[in-house]
Amino acid sequence: MGNDTNGEFQPVVLSLKVRLLIIAALLTLVVAVPFFFFCWLWGMVNVDVAEAVPVQQGPVLAIDDPSKDGWETEVLSAQALKQLKQIAREVESGLAEKQPSFVAPDFRSGPLRPAPLNVVYDKFPFMVERESSSSDKSNGHEETRSYSEVIQELRSPFSHEQALRVSVKVFRIFLEEETFVTREFVSILGTTDGHPVEENATWKTRWSIGKKPGLLSLQVEDFERTTLKKTRPLFTDCTTAVLKKELEKNNQLTNGVSDWWSRLQKIYGVGRNGQHGVACADVNGDGLDDVFLCHPGGVPNQLFIRQPDGTVVNRAKEVGVDWLDQTSSALFVDLDNDGDQDLVMGISGTGQNAVLENVGNTRLEVRFLSEKIRGYTRSLSSADFDNDGDLDFYQCLYGATGPVPFHDANNGPANRLWRNDGDWKFTDITEKAGMDVNNRRFSLAAAWEDFDNDGDQDLYVANDFGRNNLFENLGNGEFEDIAPEMRVEDSAGGMSVSFSDFDHDGKMDLYIGNMFSSAGNRISFQENFNPRGDQFSRSLFQRFARGNTLFRARPDGGFEDVSVDAGVTMGRWAWSSRFVDVNNDSFDDLCIANGYITNARKHDL
Amino acid sequence: MNLRMNRLISSGDSFSGNERNCLYLNVGNPDQIRFANISAVSGFDFPDDGRGLASTDWDFDGDLDFWISNRNAPRIRFLRNDLPEGNRFLQVKLNGNGTTCNRDAIGARLELDVGDTTLLKTVIAGDSFLAQSSKWVHFGLGPVDGPGELRVRWPDGTLETFKALKPNSRYQITQGENVAAVWPPPQQSPVFEHREVERPSRSGAIRAVVKSNMPLPRLEYIDFEGRKRSLREHLRQPIVLNLWASWCTPCVVELSEFQQEAIPVLALTVDGINAESPTTHEDAKKLLESRGFEFPAGLASESIMIWLQAYHDLLFTDTQPLPVPTSFLIDTDGTVAAIYKGAVSSERIKADHTLLTNSPDKFRQQSLPFEGKWLAKPPDHKPADFAYFLILEDQLDMSLHYLSEFVPVGTRGFGITIDALEQKSHVSERKDLLERIRHLRSRSFPF
């Protein structure tokens, strides 16, 4: 986007009045957005985005004054973050000769790393060290370090030949009499003896309240160091090598969704959020996985066929899948049991799905297209739920209008269970299967798994803006939503579902992608957040901002939420969150693809 | 998503952007389950707007690689896993019998004894978010000599058991055959170099062919003699409506070229558009005279800019202010066929004139960057859309003006638009508009 407007031309000069208005509106929103987000949760604000009704903009203005709303803490935490970032830059550069003006003259810090560190994992190629339970709390914990010693000590384990990367995220703030306290995640990446090392710590910093908050003290509350015992990272980005031929052909892969915003009419279905997925399957029957990439409306889907040398060639046109319709998801499964991979495609804006038959491993021909409905198709997941020998599939649908109420929205379109009736007939049997309960949610993802080990396929559904579903297969063609009994409702912004027996106890555990919001964390943990509300609603809001959830299967059935103990809540604005064993140690790790909208301007709402 | 927030995002702001992907290591201790953060040391933490994540052993080296789709560029990333040798693996592909069990064996449960534990995996199709991973089932084994027994529970309830499987191997198992057949991967083992994904350099100028189906309004402007003129009077032929300024060098270069190549153009200057403008329309007039420009020209007003910006913003998600120069290629019926932000060559404009003679379907094709086909006929705009959009933009007078001029009573979209306009006028206490809306409505019942 930035490339588009730099250089050759200048913007039209608007009147001072208009410019002031724009600046005022921007400032208002910059400050208001975090509060607005949480007032959403309160259900105070009408977030209906249906274009059929003119939108009232009044309620936003009513909440745009943070000091009146008690959220001056947001202003303070933004200032603190700015200064923490300056500290981060000094740790990176090592140039801390002069103490910055915002650091109090008598600033003192405790130790930056606990001692001794305990090795909690040491299997090639990773070593993990944490604070030992025997670490002596009394010795060396006094706050004695000066600012320059802090910078030096933070840098000390790392090689200074390579640049450090330091990042900070403020996730708590508490006001006290004349000071305030923040907690932040601090991450340092560098190398030691040629090995990549990252340190992830939680800092507690105390600040004086003034025009510019002054840093008074620093304590490290939590610390973990991981070392990669090889010189190159575990993962290498080989996108260019594998997609060489495609990247040279045109800009379809190097244009992000935002790049189409000014080049392609939005009526074709370009969209903002870029909900376009990926599927791996052997489409041409040569035994090797190929890759299907979904694209926004007006941009054709791509089918990358794996070549013997590991590179790919896009054969979407030849195979007949160069669809321009806005596509969110794709699923390759053998629907007619003839040994090749057929395709189910989720069409986003029209709430449709299309089923295509694989003909001779060379063509995919449309055999079924569901009717248009108001809603957006999201993830697809397939299993033979009725054990009749052919595969059925489940279609998640997301609301095209705003969620009401925000924290428990049940006004979306109904998800659909499609039964395979042979001869390319698919019947929507959602209601008949008893799945039309708690089924007006804003669903993003679903996964089938026999979680109770009784031999049939159950289904977990992750819903945005509210509770999730766990549909137990009763074995008679019907399902029952038992999420509350199994304690897996996970009321939050559900984005993804992944099952795995991560602890090797013979029962499938469950990881749910949610949204981690620093602003939400900062606000919902304060005492004056929703003071009229009870503890239940308070914890509900805290839950919405907490992030991803790990449910561990209990020996006696049901699940327990072990997310915090497992330290896996912070998945940022998480989308695909998945169990994968990345180092072949037999224990499944957690991979999270995240981030909402990155645009050219640095400013982040 | 709130409309105002959308507006800020559309004009270039980020929202939870530049977030780095996360990777948490399972330390394999059931009593101390805390995972370790290896996002950065693993090299997994690209700051992309990641969406779908699929795993597969793409290069057959026994560890799982990733394909991750992104909202932003590159739209997909391939991450190769470079796990050093040490831990072992086993990969299994199941084939159901196709009668009592689906051929893909989705739902089959695999139990693999390794040392004193049993690993559980299920063949699945579609999980996490907008993603499908490989149907090959991958077991990491740790540094063991070999796996123990493998039990396959097919979805139809049958059980098969396999012994003496070798580590670091791949097996195909077909239901009922009781054989785990070694599957040899292709001989050619790919070696990929790492290279950053390069984004092509851009000139900065944007050309967008648009299938708009909506005429521009009359757009009245004042020419340099102070006379009131209208866009309409120039539409005997297709015309380029050009926004320019005397202080903008590329604008002047572009206009010279238009003049040389005799491209029909109406040039409206933003010089002196308001009190803040550093230049006046006298500057524009002098420049036109000194260059001997002879095409129709005049002053862009703030009202014209609002019309054009709204027209643009209806068509595109991007809502940044129109720059100078901006050119609109306008057909004789007043519909816009292409928008050029930044300078455009006269060859380009000439070539694009041929667009205007195309059939609607051909024209739609040309408004798209790549070839492809539609499952469902894509929606087209209709004039009522513009009137409706103007309501959302709080331009009620303009909406009513456009509605009465270009949306015949009873045509598609008229009803919903006039209802919305009435509602908004009511809320805004615009009694004058309500009166005119009633008048316009009365036209629908002539008898």
Side-chain angles (χ1 to χ4, degrees):
Chain A
M1 299 285 292
N3 293 334
D4 300 336
T5 48
N6 290 342
E8 286 193 5
F9 41 82
Q10 288 102 33
V12 173
V13 179
L14 292 172
S15 74
L16 183 63
K17 203 171 131 194
V18 173
R19 276 189 291 171
L20 283 176
L21 269 172
I22 291 171
I23 290 165
L26 276 171
L27 280 176
T28 304
L29 274 150
V30 165
V31 179
V33 160
F35 317 113
F36 175 66
F37 174 77
F38 260 78
C39 289
W40 248 0
L41 301 188
W42 290 33
M44 282 167 57
V45 181
N46 175 13
V47 292
D48 193 349
V49 293
E51 298 211 325
V53 183
V55 171
Q56 309 298 317
Q57 301 194 328
V60 184
L61 297 173
I63 57 158
D64 69 351
D65 186 346
S67 56
K68 278 187 187 153
D69 288 351
W71 301 130
E72 70 265 32
T73 51
E74 279 301 277
V75 179
L76 292 174
S77 74
Q79 288 171 335
L81 177 62
K82 197 176 157 200
Q83 291 162 6
L84 287 163
K85 279 185 173 172
Q86 190 177 330
I87 298 175
R89 296 297 85 80
E90 295 197 346
V91 176
E92 285 174 344
S93 64
L95 305 172
E97 285 154 24
K98 216 178 85 193
Q99 184 154 314
S101 60
F102 64 82
V103 179
D106 55 349
F107 163 84
R108 286 294 177 264
S109 167
L112 281 308
R113 292 177 190 79
L117 283 171
N118 197 18
V119 176
V120 297
Y121 183 91
D122 191 8
K123 289 180 198 162
F124 205 62
F126 295 105
M127 180 170 77
V128 181
E129 297 163 278
R130 291 193 189 122
E131 182 172 8
S132 151
S133 53
S134 67
S135 288
D136 189 350
K137 296 273 181 195
S138 60
N139 191 16
H141 269 65
E142 303 87 39
E143 297 182 353
T144 55
R145 289 156 180 81
S146 70
Y147 180 77
S148 61
E149 284 167 346
V150 166
I151 304 290
Q152 273 174 26
E153 194 169 325
L154 285 171
R155 287 172 59 79
S156 62
F158 298 103
S159 154
H160 294 179
E161 273 151 40
Q162 271 177 309
L164 299 182
R165 194 186 83 197
V166 184
S167 52
V168 185
K169 212 173 176 74
V170 178
F171 68 95
R172 289 277 188 286
I173 178 164
F174 298 100
L175 275 181
E176 294 178 358
E177 287 284 301
E178 284 166 2
T179 61
F180 68 96
V181 172
T182 60
R183 282 197 173 84
E184 42 274 335
F185 297 127
V186 179
S187 169
I188 306 180
L189 172 67
T191 55
T192 302
D193 302 330
H195 295 148
V197 171
E198 72 178 293
E199 293 186 345
N200 290 288
T202 303
W203 287 5
K204 178 182 172 189
T205 41
R206 185 177 293 278
W207 309 78
S208 62
I209 300 176
K211 265 187 197 164
K212 241 184 169 185
L215 180 60
L216 302 172
S217 67
L218 189 168
Q219 281 178 318
V220 172
E221 295 193 326
D222 183 56
F223 180 88
E224 176 186 274
R225 168 160 49 206
T226 52
T227 305
L228 181 70
K229 294 165 119 183
K230 65 194 278 279
T231 50
R232 298 277 308 140
L234 184 63
F235 289 99
T236 306
D237 177 16
C238 296
T239 311
T240 307
V242 175
L243 287 158
K244 194 167 183 292
K245 297 177 191 113
E246 296 309 316
L247 288 164
E248 283 166 1
K249 220 179 275 175
N250 57 41
N251 59 4
Q252 191 171 349
L253 292 169
T254 50
N255 266 8
V257 170
S258 304
D259 292 306
W260 296 121
W261 290 354
S262 53
R263 293 176 170 81
L264 193 52
Q265 285 171 253
K266 65 180 163 197
I267 197 169
Y268 292 142
V270 178
R272 280 188 184 78
N273 303 352
Q275 312 291 37
H276 311 292
V278 61
C280 267
D282 175 14
V283 180
N284 62 349
D286 63 354
L288 312 177
D289 278 344
D290 309 300
V291 176
F292 187 87
L293 179 62
C294 305
H295 278 281
V299 182
N301 294 327
Q302 289 176 306
L303 173 61
F304 300 123
I305 298 291
R306 192 193 191 279
Q307 306 300 299
D309 66 357
T311 63
V312 297
V313 179
N314 177 23
R315 294 279 182 236
K317 189 176 179 188
E318 292 83 345
V319 174
V321 289
D322 54 340
W323 302 108
L324 294 162
D325 307 69
Q326 183 184 38
T327 308
S328 47
S329 51
L331 197 61
F332 287 95
V333 276
D334 185 356
L335 290 165
D336 55 354
N337 283 329
D338 66 348
D340 56 28
Q341 295 291 294
D342 311 302
L343 170 64
V344 189
M345 216 166 65
I347 311 300
S348 183
T350 54
Q352 289 172 290
N353 66 71
V355 180
L356 295 88
E357 179 186 1
N358 189 327
V359 181
N361 280 323
T362 53
R363 290 280 302 168
L364 282 158
E365 307 270 3
V366 179
R367 293 286 180 259
F368 175 82
L369 183 63
S370 66
E371 82 277 19
K372 290 184 184 181
I373 55 172
R374 193 162 158 74
Y376 302 132
T377 302
R378 289 294 175 248
S379 303
L380 300 163
S381 188
S382 178
D384 179 11
F385 81 91
D386 50 5
N387 264 330
D388 65 350
D390 58 28
L391 286 172
D392 316 291
F393 66 93
Y394 189 79
Q395 176 192 9
C396 291
L397 282 144
Y398 195 83
T401 53
V404 181
F406 183 85
H407 67 279
D408 189 22
N410 211 354
N411 64 325
N415 295 339
R416 308 175 109 183
L417 174 63
W418 294 92
R419 188 181 64 202
N420 187 346
D421 287 336
D423 292 328
W424 305 102
K425 287 191 194 69
F426 295 88
T427 310
D428 174 2
I429 55 143
T430 317
E431 211 178 320
K432 205 171 149 197
M435 276 192 173
D436 207 25
V437 291
N438 276 312
N439 192 32
R440 294 294 184 282
R441 301 203 172 258
F442 286 66
S443 306
L444 286 169
W448 295 93
E449 179 61 72
D450 179 12
F451 85 94
D452 52 3
N453 295 339
D454 68 350
D456 53 33
Q457 297 292 306
D458 313 297
L459 181 78
Y460 191 88
V461 185
N463 301 315
D464 209 348
F465 312 112
R467 56 154 286 189
N468 298 340
N469 311 103
L470 174 56
F471 289 109
E472 187 195 359
N473 193 330
L474 301 177
N476 59 357
E478 288 184 28
F479 292 83
E480 189 183 342
D481 183 2
I482 57 164
E485 295 93 304
M486 292 292 119
R487 300 180 176 224
V488 288
E489 284 178 288
D490 197 40
S491 272
M495 310 280 206
S496 78
V497 190
S498 179
F499 281 98
S500 156
D501 178 16
F502 84 93
D503 55 359
H504 294 183
D505 69 349
K507 285 169 176 280
M508 286 292 179
D509 312 292
L510 181 58
Y511 191 55
I512 311 301
N514 280 311
M515 188 177 62
F516 174 89
S517 161
S518 333
N521 268 286
R522 289 193 300 264
I523 290 174
S524 65
F525 278 87
Q526 290 180 42
E527 277 175 15
N528 56 344
F529 173 72
N530 194 10
R532 293 180 305 273
D534 53 12
Q535 187 52 39
F536 171 75
S537 61
R538 205 178 148 81
S539 54
L540 188 80
F541 297 132
Q542 291 171 356
R543 210 35 225 294
F544 258 80
R546 190 186 75 175
N548 290 358
T549 306
L550 177 60
F551 287 115
R552 187 183 194 179
R554 295 162 56 96
D556 57 349
F559 292 85
E560 107 186 86
D561 181 344
V562 295
S563 323
V564 174
D565 286 348
V568 292
T569 56
M570 224 292 277
R572 308 183 197 277
W573 195 296
W575 299 100
S576 268
S577 306
R578 186 163 205 270
F579 281 110
V580 180
D581 180 3
V582 297
N583 62 338
N584 282 348
D585 68 350
S586 83
F587 289 95
D588 280 350
D589 312 300
L590 287 168
C591 311
I592 302 154
N594 59 27
Y596 187 34
I597 292 180
T598 303
N599 269 333
R601 275 214 294 277
K602 279 273 180 201
H603 179 257
D604 200 303
L605 291 170
Chain B
M1 179 61 27
N2 167 267
L3 282 186
R4 283 221 226 168
M5 218 134 83
N6 278 346
R7 174 49 75 103
L8 284 177
I9 289 167
S10 299
S11 65
D13 272 337
S14 297
F15 188 5
S16 282
N18 298 297
E19 292 201 322
R20 291 187 173 274
N21 295 338
C22 301
L23 181 53
Y24 291 104
L25 179 76
N26 184 346
V27 300
N29 179 351
D31 302 320
Q32 181 30 270
I33 58 166
R34 184 167 163 191
F35 286 56
N37 192 343
I38 54 168
S39 311
V41 288
S42 62
F44 183 79
D45 64 343
F46 283 86
D48 299 333
D49 297 343
R51 294 293 182 265
L53 176 149
S55 58
T56 171
D57 183 6
W58 188 259
D59 54 359
F60 304 111
D61 64 349
D63 52 38
L64 289 174
D65 312 300
F66 290 105
W67 286 94
I68 304 176
S69 69
N70 295 320
R71 196 199 69 88
N72 52 354
R75 279 291 334 282
I76 193 164
R77 224 181 254 285
F78 172 71
L79 298 185
R80 185 189 61 201
N81 189 336
D82 292 339
L83 187 69
E85 280 180 30
N87 287 336
R88 299 183 158 191
F89 71 93
L90 182 75
Q91 292 172 350
V92 181
K93 173 79 171 62
L94 298 184
N95 302 303
N97 60 21
T99 52
T100 58
C101 168
N102 68 87
R103 284 285 286 263
D104 286 331
I106 307 297
R109 178 64 73 77
L110 297 90
E111 302 169 7
L112 179 70
D113 295 337
V114 177
D116 52 5
T117 59
T118 300
L119 308 182
L120 286 193
K121 298 273 174 190
T122 306
V123 184
I124 57 166
D127 77 335
S128 70
F129 173 68
L130 306 182
Q132 180 180 23
S133 292
S134 177
K135 290 188 190 69
W136 278 88
V137 176
H138 176 96
F139 290 97
L141 304 177
V144 295
D145 291 336
E149 185 180 87
L150 172 70
R151 293 174 294 283
V152 176
R153 297 184 190 278
W154 300 92
D156 60 10
T158 55
L159 171 72
E160 289 179 55
T161 305
F162 303 89
K163 288 184 176 138
L165 300 173
K166 295 190 170 56
N168 294 354
S169 306
R170 299 166 184 84
Y171 293 97
Q172 290 252 20
I173 294 175
T174 300
Q175 190 179 10
E177 292 183 0
N178 274 303
V179 180
V182 173
W183 184 82
Q187 290 299 309
Q188 201 172 345
S189 172
V191 178
F192 298 127
E193 295 296 315
H194 163 71
R195 218 177 72 211
E196 291 289 315
V197 178
E198 284 169 27
R199 301 199 62 193
S201 62
R202 290 175 208 279
S203 69
I206 290 171
R207 164 182 174 265
V209 174
V210 291
K211 190 169 184 299
S212 64
N213 298 5
M214 301 172 295
L216 278 172
R218 208 171 293 282
L219 288 192
E220 288 176 339
Y221 69 96
I222 308 290
D223 71 12
F224 287 101
E225 275 69 51
R227 287 171 305 202
K228 203 173 175 188
R229 307 283 295 271
S230 164
L231 168 68
R232 290 277 137 182
E233 59 190 87
H234 306 292
L235 291 180
R236 289 176 298 276
Q237 57 183 338
I239 196 168
V240 173
L241 170 61
N242 179 268
L243 297 172
W244 71 287
S246 62
W247 43 262
C248 154
T249 315
C251 297
V252 180
V253 172
E254 181 186 55
L255 283 173
S256 307
E257 208 189 315
F258 289 166
Q259 162 106 344
Q260 265 171 28
E261 300 294 322
I263 290 172
V265 58
L266 166 62
L268 299 182
T269 180
V270 299
D271 286 297
I273 191 168
N274 54 44
E276 305 306 311
S277 174
T279 49
T280 66
H281 53 79
E282 278 304 312
D283 296 314
K285 189 179 177 185
K286 272 185 216 147
L287 193 137
L288 290 179
E289 282 168 1
S290 70
R291 299 286 176 120
F293 287 151
E294 286 163 357
F295 39 73
L299 314 175
S301 62
E302 285 195 358
S303 140
I304 288 176
M305 293 307 297
I306 293 172
W307 276 113
L308 294 176
Q309 185 76 49
Y311 192 88
H312 169 272
D313 291 356
L314 166 59
L315 292 174
F316 295 102
T317 308
D318 171 48
T319 57
Q320 296 182 73
L322 292 172
V324 285
T326 292
S327 301
F328 297 81
L329 176 60
I330 302 172
D331 205 349
T332 49
D333 61 357
T335 56
V336 172
I339 299 177
Y340 313 89
K341 290 190 268 183
V344 55
S345 71
S346 50
E347 288 86 54
R348 183 74 259 173
I349 297 264
K350 277 185 192 164
D352 285 351
H353 269 84
T354 62
L355 291 170
L356 304 174
T357 58
N358 284 335
S359 68
D361 282 345
K362 182 93 187 286
F363 192 84
R364 179 185 299 112
Q365 222 174 69
Q366 277 165 309
S367 71
L368 297 166
F370 310 108
E371 277 182 33
K373 57 191 183 183
W374 296 91
L375 270 166
K377 192 172 176 283
D380 274 327
H381 277 299
K382 53 188 184 300
D385 295 352
F386 192 30
Y388 195 92
F389 185 72
L390 288 164
I391 303 172
L392 298 178
E393 295 284 286
D394 260 331
Q395 301 293 350
L396 304 187
D397 296 271
M398 287 180 166
S399 173
L400 183 58
H401 174 90
Y402 195 84
L403 192 66
S404 51
E405 190 161 358
F406 294 106
V407 189
V409 174
T411 57
R412 208 154 63 92
F414 178 85
I416 192 170
T417 308
I418 199 162
D419 288 350
L421 185 56
E422 186 170 26
Q423 191 192 336
K424 191 76 176 260
S425 304
H426 192 74
V427 171
S428 315
E429 298 184 0
R430 292 290 307 273
K431 288 195 175 124
D432 55 327
L433 286 184
L434 287 170
E435 184 56 40
R436 286 164 59 198
I437 289 166
R438 257 192 298 282
H439 182 71
L440 184 57
R441 271 192 198 280
S442 68
R443 282 202 248 154
S444 38
F445 304 104
F447 306 110

